[in-house]
Amino acid sequence: MSLYKENKFDFLKNKYIWIVIGAILVLAILGYLLTMVNWQGMFEKDNIKVKFQNNPLVVSEKDNTLIEITLINNTEKDLDNLEVTIKDVENNFEIFCPDSQEDKTKVIIPKMASGNERIITCNVRYDPTKDFFEGTYSFDIEYSIEDYIYTKRADLTVER
């Protein structure tokens, strides 16, 4: 037997150690999640504008409309082979871009200088072979700037 009281440090029973370990884990998870955020994209100005010539599209008067996409190069350098693709989300429309080469929904801009903009105009026509209802239809415009793919959704309202 010892003259001195044994003062054992029981690691598993110390609640302050568990609080510190928990706080470190929470900070590590929070730090990991913050690294996944695209901070550059949050503070940039919008680099695309989309509008329809006729919105709402009244099908009894006209069976097509034009979609006008304005791309703005707000980067510091010139861009080469800027690729723009228009997708019909519900697959009820036929899209034709006169500037396309192979795929009728894809346009490639060979060169765009910093600070400039390009306007792409495409014809959007409803497909009469498919079921067609009044309402809102969505189109996704995908484009890539500096190896980052952006997506912008535009809505077209259709009435009979």
Side-chain angles (χ1 to χ4, degrees):
M1 185 159 192
S2 162
L3 294 174
Y4 301 104
K5 182 179 173 185
E6 288 188 34
N7 193 5
K8 291 185 177 179
F9 181 68
D10 194 359
F11 180 73
L12 297 175
K13 292 184 180 177
N14 192 342
K15 66 179 179 180
Y16 296 112
I17 296 292
W18 286 110
I19 291 173
V20 169
I21 290 173
I24 290 172
L25 285 175
V26 167
L27 287 175
I29 292 171
L30 186 63
Y32 174 74
L33 292 176
L34 288 175
T35 59
M36 295 176 61
V37 175
N38 180 12
W39 295 104
Q40 182 182 7
M42 289 179 67
F43 299 112
E44 284 182 354
K45 294 186 281 182
D46 200 14
N47 52 10
I48 187 169
K49 296 176 189 170
V50 180
K51 69 177 184 176
F52 290 94
Q53 184 182 34
N54 300 71
N55 195 5
L57 174 64
V58 182
V59 228
S60 59
E61 298 173 5
K62 198 172 184 183
D63 61 349
N64 69 326
T65 186
L66 295 177
I67 184 172
E68 186 176 284
I69 303 165
T70 305
L71 289 169
I72 303 162
N73 183 358
N74 56 2
T75 63
E76 298 293 323
K77 58 183 180 179
D78 298 345
L79 300 175
D80 294 324
N81 297 324
L82 182 64
E83 195 172 292
V84 182
T85 306
I86 304 169
K87 295 180 181 177
D88 176 18
V89 176
E90 288 92 0
N91 203 17
N92 285 330
F93 289 86
E94 296 173 356
I95 301 169
F96 174 73
C97 299
D99 297 327
S100 63
Q101 295 171 359
E102 294 175 11
D103 183 7
K104 62 184 178 178
T105 63
K106 180 191 223 178
V107 175
I108 297 175
I109 300 171
K111 185 111 174 137
M112 187 159 64
S114 176
N116 288 349
E117 61 183 44
R118 296 287 185 276
I119 298 173
I120 300 169
T121 305
C122 298
N123 189 359
V124 176
R125 177 183 308 266
Y126 78 92
D127 190 356
T129 63
K130 299 189 177 174
D131 291 335
F132 195 73
F133 300 101
E134 288 185 350
T136 305
Y137 292 87
S138 297
F139 296 87
D140 284 341
I141 294 92
E142 291 183 353
Y143 57 103
S144 59
I145 295 177
E146 294 181 337
D147 298 329
Y148 186 77
I149 298 175
Y150 295 91
T151 302
K152 172 89 174 193
R153 181 162 282 190
D155 294 326
L156 174 67
T157 303
V158 177
E159 299 174 356
R160 289 199 184 261

